[in-house]
């Protein structure tokens, strides 16, 4: 059973398009996150939700909009995609700030 | 700037040898965690050490934490080819209610069979 799942695994799209990435966790965790890993492997927090409430928004362009319909889901919608958005996006979850469980990642390529 | 810098950036050793990776950070922390990332995969949690702990063991892993120097080390003993991966330290800050982790730049470990 997959603990944290993301879809799609790969996403190739043109500049200017709008796309969404979905994340689901079945661990009963109360906090979910989106991280971005760039080509140099730097991982940076983008958003964090606790019990469906946004608690972290790390200076991410407002083209990125997270949505948490319930505690088990955290989706990421990106408007007007730019070349610099190409990266691997990881969803993660945790229980009250403990160890984080990561999804397999979504590799986004913007052409 | 990156909170959590790892040293070395890359490490190549022979199977059976020990691998030591170091991590430095800048702010006060609640805990420090180590993660492993295999190529093309997500991160896997290895071990968590709290700010009031100095050393922790888990199987072949040994982690130390020196809060006065704001540094940590991860030792993998008797390495195996399957340990080949990137290793990241991550800090949970004291002011985190935020709960997010700040990751270091990672150490790429290559274990030659």
């Amino acid at each position: 059973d997959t603990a944290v799942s993301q879809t799609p695994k790969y996403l190739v799209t043109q500049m200017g398009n709008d796309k969404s990435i979905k994340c689901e966790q079945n661990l009963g965790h109360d906090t979910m996150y989106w991280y971005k890993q760039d080509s140099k492997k730097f991982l940076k927090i983008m958003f964090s939700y606790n019990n469906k409430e946004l608690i972290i928004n790390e200076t991410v362009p407002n083209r990125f909009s997270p949505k948490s319909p319930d505690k088990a889901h955290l989706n990421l919608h990106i408007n007007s995609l730019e070349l610099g958005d190409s990266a691997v996006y990881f969803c993660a979850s945790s229980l009250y700030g403990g160890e984080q469980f990561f999804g397999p990642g979504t590799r986004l390529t913007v052409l | 700037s990156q909170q959590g810098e790892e040293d070395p950036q890359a490490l190549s050793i022979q199977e059976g040898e020990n691998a030591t990776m170091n991590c430095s950070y800048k702010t006060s922390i609640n805990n420090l965690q180590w993660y492993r990332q295999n190529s093309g995969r997500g991160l896997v949690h290895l071990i968590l050490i709290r700010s009031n702990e100095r050393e922790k063991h888990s199987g072949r892993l040994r982690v130390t934490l020196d809060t006065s120097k704001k540094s940590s080390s991860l030792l993998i003993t008797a390495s195996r080819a399957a340990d080949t991966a990137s290793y990241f330290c991550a800090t949970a800050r004291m002011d985190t209610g935020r709960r997010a982790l700040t990751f270091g730049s990672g150490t790429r470990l290559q274990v030659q069979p």
Side-chain angles (χ1 to χ4, degrees):
Chain A
D1 289 340
T2 305
V4 182
S5 59
Q6 292 179 232
T7 54
K9 190 169 172 60
Y10 299 97
L11 188 51
V12 180
T13 188
Q14 299 286 336
M15 259 178 24
N17 284 350
D18 303 338
K19 291 293 177 186
S20 291
I21 308 172
K22 295 186 175 181
C23 177
E24 176 181 1
Q25 55 96 3
N26 62 5
L27 299 166
H29 287 167
D30 61 354
T31 309
M32 296 184 72
Y33 313 81
W34 278 110
Y35 289 90
K36 179 181 180 181
Q37 187 173 42
D38 63 22
S39 57
K40 295 185 178 177
K41 305 298 185 188
F42 288 125
L43 260 165
K44 190 168 182 185
I45 182 69
M46 299 174 68
F47 300 102
S48 175
Y49 269 74
N50 175 248
N51 290 321
K52 301 197 306 175
E53 183 181 341
L54 178 68
I55 57 172
I56 297 173
N57 180 345
E58 284 288 312
T59 60
V60 177
N62 58 15
R63 297 182 295 104
F64 291 77
S65 52
K67 282 189 173 52
S68 182
D70 55 56
K71 286 199 311 182
H73 295 85
L74 180 62
N75 303 322
L76 183 65
H77 188 75
I78 315 170
N79 289 327
S80 303
L81 278 155
E82 300 177 356
L83 293 175
D85 297 333
S86 294
V88 182
Y89 292 83
F90 287 99
C91 177
S93 71
S94 73
L95 191 60
Y96 197 73
E99 67 173 280
Q100 295 189 12
F101 289 76
F102 282 76
T106 295
R107 182 174 294 277
L108 172 65
T109 303
V110 182
L111 304 175
Chain B
S1 61
Q2 286 285 331
Q3 161 91 328
E5 299 289 340
E6 269 116 318
D7 168 53
Q9 288 188 337
L11 180 61
S12 182
I13 59 174
Q14 296 294 125
E15 224 171 9
E17 293 180 340
N18 295 340
T20 300
M21 289 159 264
N22 302 298
C23 167
S24 61
Y25 58 91
K26 293 185 171 66
T27 65
S28 295
I29 62 170
N30 180 277
N31 64 67
L32 184 143
Q33 304 177 34
W34 285 90
Y35 287 80
R36 183 185 74 223
Q37 184 179 32
N38 289 80
S39 180
R41 308 290 290 272
L43 282 80
V44 174
H45 182 266
L46 294 176
I47 196 165
L48 181 153
I49 186 166
R50 302 191 189 285
S51 59
N52 61 353
E53 296 176 309
R54 292 296 166 257
E55 188 171 313
K56 203 160 182 180
H57 297 254
S58 176
R60 294 184 295 114
L61 305 180
R62 174 179 168 252
V63 168
T64 62
L65 179 64
D66 187 334
T67 52
S68 66
K69 294 181 180 177
K70 291 187 167 57
S71 66
S72 173
S73 67
L74 171 67
L75 168 67
I76 304 174
T77 59
S79 63
R80 305 167 182 167
D83 294 329
T84 294
S86 291
Y87 292 82
F88 294 87
C89 70
T91 51
R93 286 166 36 173
M94 291 286 284
D95 59 349
T96 307
R98 295 156 41 92
R99 304 180 190 184
L101 297 174
T102 303
F103 282 84
S105 48
T107 293
R108 290 185 307 281
L109 173 65
Q110 176 79 38
V111 181
Q112 308 283 354

